[in-house]
Amino acid sequence: MRLRQIALVGSDLAAASEDIVDVLGLGGAYADPGVGKYGLANAVWPVGETFLEALSPKAPGTTAGRLLQKRGGDGGYMVILQADEIGPARARIKAQGVRVVDQLDGDGFWMTHLHPRDMGGAIVSVDAMIPPDRWQWGGSRWREQVRTDTSVAIVGAELQGEDPRAMAARWAAVLGLEAAETAEGWRLPLDGGELRFVGVTDGRGEGLGAFDVAVRDVAQVRARAERRSLIGAQGEVRLCGTRVRLVAA
């Protein structure tokens, strides 16, 4: 199981996009027309062979809009994981009694959105691609937009909740992984990354609180964030209301 994409939600897509591109040094974005059916607009950037998405509601009554209200502003929205094979992954989801809220099967790609109340922490999608290095949600020409002189890959996500142990156990059972306790909380190992589960410390309730980006120069990225006033109260970099954990590549 691989962490392939992180999605953030913001009220101002243009402003969030400017911050993301400048701080992380990313290339051009892909606007996925498929999100229009959810009442959303988005931008998707390749970060190496992983992806970062920012989206905004463009219609009333969207899930994204309700999340903005519930959590008091911009923040983390979705974790998209890539399975080697969709059949066993979907069988495990069904066996665990998780509701599927959206499913799309196309020519060489499969998408499975899971109900957030059955998982906790975030909307989760379990997807598969043929060939495995393809990524339908980044567009057919995403490789032309890859820039890795600053940011190399998204390598982790942090979910917060009132009972991180139970949340980690739930995700582990659904994803076919094994949770391990660490000094920071609970961890699920992924191919090339990890998922972490921690308690709520920011007063915003359950949700996707942070994601990890491997960068070539941590100090340089922090300086870019400082110039845009994107350093939080605890000294953390924040993009679209979400903490960014910078990891030396």
Side-chain angles (χ1 to χ4, degrees):
M1 194 72 68
R2 178 183 181 188
L3 177 60
R4 199 73 194 274
Q5 183 168 317
I6 289 292
L8 313 176
V9 60
S11 58
D12 187 331
L13 181 59
S17 297
E18 288 181 6
D19 288 341
I20 288 168
V21 170
D22 185 43
V23 173
L24 297 181
L26 303 182
Y30 172 67
D32 183 358
V35 304
K37 71 175 184 179
Y38 305 110
L40 304 172
N42 79 340
V44 182
W45 298 268
V47 187
E49 293 197 353
T50 59
F51 295 82
L52 180 60
E53 176 183 14
L55 51 85
S56 291
K58 297 301 177 184
T62 64
T63 300
R66 289 192 293 271
L67 186 64
L68 284 171
Q69 293 179 338
K70 179 181 178 181
R71 302 197 73 224
D74 299 358
Y77 183 65
M78 191 171 187
V79 175
I80 305 179
L81 301 164
Q82 183 175 350
D84 293 335
E85 297 181 74
I86 198 63
R90 285 180 172 172
R92 191 166 46 246
I93 290 165
K94 183 177 181 180
Q96 291 295 322
V98 176
R99 288 169 288 177
V100 174
V101 295
D102 198 9
Q103 184 169 301
L104 179 63
D105 296 352
D107 183 11
F109 66 90
W110 298 264
M111 175 198 86
T112 318
H113 287 189
L114 309 184
H115 200 299
R117 290 185 181 176
D118 293 347
M119 294 293 291
I123 298 174
V124 180
S125 188
V126 178
D127 301 356
M129 301 281 156
I130 295 178
D133 61 350
R134 172 185 178 181
W135 196 242
Q136 181 73 15
W137 325 127
S140 61
R141 303 177 65 180
W142 64 266
R143 289 187 181 278
E144 298 174 13
Q145 305 300 332
V146 174
R147 285 183 55 189
T148 57
D149 51 316
T150 301
S151 299
V152 176
I154 295 174
V155 295
E158 186 172 282
L159 294 307
Q160 62 185 42
E162 297 300 330
D163 189 344
R165 178 178 181 176
M167 189 186 298
R170 180 59 169 163
W171 282 54
V174 174
L175 301 176
L177 302 172
E178 187 170 339
E181 189 172 14
T182 72
E184 295 180 330
W186 290 82
R187 175 182 181 272
L188 295 183
L190 300 169
D191 293 341
E194 66 177 16
L195 298 172
R196 294 187 307 279
F197 300 84
V198 301
V200 177
T201 59
D202 59 6
R204 301 189 68 191
E206 184 177 293
L208 171 61
F211 64 100
D212 306 353
V213 183
V215 299
R216 298 196 184 278
D217 188 330
V218 172
Q220 179 190 69
V221 175
R222 284 190 59 83
R224 291 180 180 181
E226 287 173 358
R227 286 197 295 269
R228 300 186 73 90
S229 300
L230 295 172
I231 301 296
Q234 305 302 316
E236 75 281 9
V237 173
R238 282 187 172 269
L239 291 173
C240 199
T242 310
R243 298 186 302 275
V244 184
R245 182 174 176 177
L246 303 175
V247 180

